[in-house]
Amino acid sequence: MKPRASSEAVRRSMQSNRPRDTRLEREFRSALHRSGLRFRKNLRPLAGLRCEPDVVFTKLRLAIFIDGCWWHGCPIHGSQPVRNHDWWVAKLQTTKDRDARNDRALGDAGWQVLRFWEHEPLDKAVVAVLQEVLRLRGGNLNQASEEGAHD
Ligand SMILES: [Zn+2]
């Protein structure tokens, strides 16, 4: 049985780490879009793998995740509540294991994976994505743009 959030901080953290389309993810995608990048979202790169990166460059086979500090166990902000401790430890470990499994599956299929913590500055993440796109395109950032869909 799912325990109730044991404190206001935990409750807020849980609410702010919904699995998709958090404010941060929208801001991140907007920033990438302003940088001229075109990409997809809410797309499963691999058939049969329940994994939807926050941003997907299908042609480049580049998958990008913004990981919530709480759910994904950020080394700085990840914490394990005292109440219902064992339940939370198992729950958070499940998330970490799934992340690792997804990274491996994507890597095995020839995809590059970039992960950012939600606490990382947005512009730093955008620069890292631009650098990776540049690298994968062999140095040409202005190559014919990726497929058009964007929120
Ligand atoms: Zn963090």
Side-chain angles (χ1 to χ4, degrees):
M1 196 177 77
K2 185 176 179 176
R4 293 169 61 84
S6 56
S7 73
E8 185 62 18
V10 167
R11 192 182 65 79
R12 268 205 313 275
S13 185
M14 287 168 64
Q15 285 184 339
S16 67
N17 286 280
R18 284 189 305 263
R20 75 159 58 172
D21 275 357
T22 60
R23 188 170 61 87
L24 179 74
E25 287 159 11
R26 288 197 302 274
E27 285 175 5
F28 177 63
R29 284 194 286 253
S30 294
L32 287 179
H33 198 253
R34 277 198 304 277
S35 302
L37 295 174
R38 299 296 176 266
F39 47 84
R40 303 286 297 274
K41 62 163 189 160
N42 299 342
L43 179 119
R44 291 184 184 184
L46 301 182
L49 183 69
R50 269 193 62 202
C51 169
E52 288 187 6
D54 297 306
V55 167
V56 177
F57 291 87
T58 51
K59 289 177 192 163
L60 297 176
R61 293 193 179 199
L62 173 61
I64 301 166
F65 299 86
I66 302 279
D67 289 339
C69 290
W70 164 258
W71 283 115
H72 297 265
C74 155
I76 301 170
H77 308 105
S79 64
Q80 296 170 339
V82 175
R83 277 178 55 185
N84 306 114
H85 181 77
D86 292 348
W87 188 89
W88 280 112
V89 168
K91 175 86 178 163
L92 296 174
Q93 189 60 48
T94 300
T95 304
K96 283 188 167 190
D97 291 347
R98 195 188 55 223
D99 289 346
R101 249 192 341 267
N102 287 342
D103 287 359
R104 263 200 313 278
L106 287 166
D108 287 349
W111 283 70
Q112 305 292 320
V113 176
L114 288 183
R115 285 187 182 272
F116 300 100
W117 292 112
E118 65 171 326
H119 70 254
E120 294 187 76
L122 200 60
D123 47 352
K124 182 178 157 243
V126 170
V127 166
V129 172
L130 282 167
Q131 283 173 340
E132 186 63 11
V133 168
L134 189 64
R135 189 180 73 78
L136 292 171
R137 285 183 181 166
N140 183 2
L141 197 56
N142 295 317
Q143 190 173 313
S145 67
E146 205 41 45
E147 58 279 13
H150 175 69
D151 49 345

